[in-house]
Amino acid sequence: MFGREELERALRMLGAVLQDRGASSRILVGGGSSLLLLGLIERPTADLDVIGLASGGHYAKAESIPGPLAEAVRDVGAALGLSDTWLNNGPATLFDFGLPKGFEERVSVREYGSLEVHVAGRFDMVCFKLYAAVDQSGYGTSKHLADLLILRPTTTELVTAAHWTRTQDDSEGFRGELVKILTVLGVEAPDVSL
């Protein structure tokens, strides 16, 4: 687990290691660690979620972590006492059915030596966190729901995010959980035609 300061340190070290090895990487990240980087939450997180790889102003699904980056991640993890998967592509499946409309315009970019980190924007994190909260059906004690409450999305943002989540999972079971979580967040089911 690391907080913002430890995450920034790990990213600086990772960028320096890549630079020393004559390599570079451009990654697109989301998840709790992205909220840490944006300064929107303070809770510690276990990893940095890589959603995609950046190339020429566009993003592609991170099917895997490229070899030179994966090696550097392992070495930095060993040096800092982090797991080998402190940077991973677990949520890359978000690309399978499309990212929220306008996603690219909301990304912010941070540079750490030879590592360029593209951080998903706040609204996109509302979408991702709503999806994760519903997907895990843990609206009672879910860290995703807790993150949503900290982000304080408007009703309009939640309705828009809810529609995006349905592009990821259009099952009736998901819809039922989505309605429950929206209700917890103060959005009445009749306000949302899902």
Side-chain angles (χ1 to χ4, degrees):
M1 299 295 278
F2 43 69
R4 183 175 181 176
E5 190 173 304
E6 294 85 6
L7 177 58
E8 293 274 2
R9 178 177 178 219
L11 290 172
R12 284 191 303 272
M13 184 179 283
L14 182 58
V17 168
L18 287 170
Q19 192 164 359
D20 287 347
R21 295 176 181 178
S24 64
S25 191
R26 300 172 71 210
I27 57 175
L28 172 64
V29 300
S33 52
S34 295
L35 293 174
L36 274 176
L37 290 172
L38 293 171
L40 297 173
I41 65 168
E42 293 183 20
R43 75 167 172 80
T45 186
D47 58 7
L48 179 64
D49 295 325
V50 177
I51 299 170
L53 303 174
S55 177
H58 297 286
Y59 301 105
K61 180 179 178 180
E63 298 285 353
S64 63
I65 302 297
L69 177 59
E71 289 175 26
V73 166
R74 281 190 297 275
D75 293 343
V76 168
L80 296 178
L82 303 172
S83 93
D84 286 349
T85 59
W86 71 268
L87 183 147
N88 65 76
N89 67 329
T93 57
L94 290 172
F95 261 93
D96 291 347
F97 299 104
L99 297 174
K101 185 177 178 181
F103 180 88
E104 291 86 2
E105 291 84 40
R106 293 184 293 270
V107 169
S108 61
V109 180
R110 316 237 168 154
E111 293 187 21
Y112 302 91
S114 289
L115 176 66
E116 197 173 274
V117 178
H118 296 236
V119 184
R122 180 194 158 281
F123 171 71
D124 302 294
M125 292 305 303
V126 168
C127 292
F128 298 160
K129 287 294 180 177
L130 180 59
Y131 175 72
V134 174
D135 191 49
Q136 293 183 359
S137 299
Y139 59 90
T141 59
S142 167
K143 68 181 178 184
H144 304 297
L145 181 59
D147 288 345
L148 275 170
L149 292 170
I150 290 169
L151 290 172
R152 298 175 59 184
T154 65
T155 298
T156 301
E157 287 176 323
L158 285 169
V159 169
T160 303
H163 285 286
W164 175 80
T165 67
R166 295 292 284 152
T167 68
Q168 301 294 303
D169 187 336
D170 64 356
S171 71
E172 280 305 305
F174 184 91
R175 182 189 180 284
E177 290 301 315
L178 176 58
V179 168
K180 287 179 190 175
I181 289 185
L182 287 172
T183 302
V184 168
L185 293 168
V187 178
E188 296 301 319
D191 295 343
V192 185
S193 59
L194 301 170

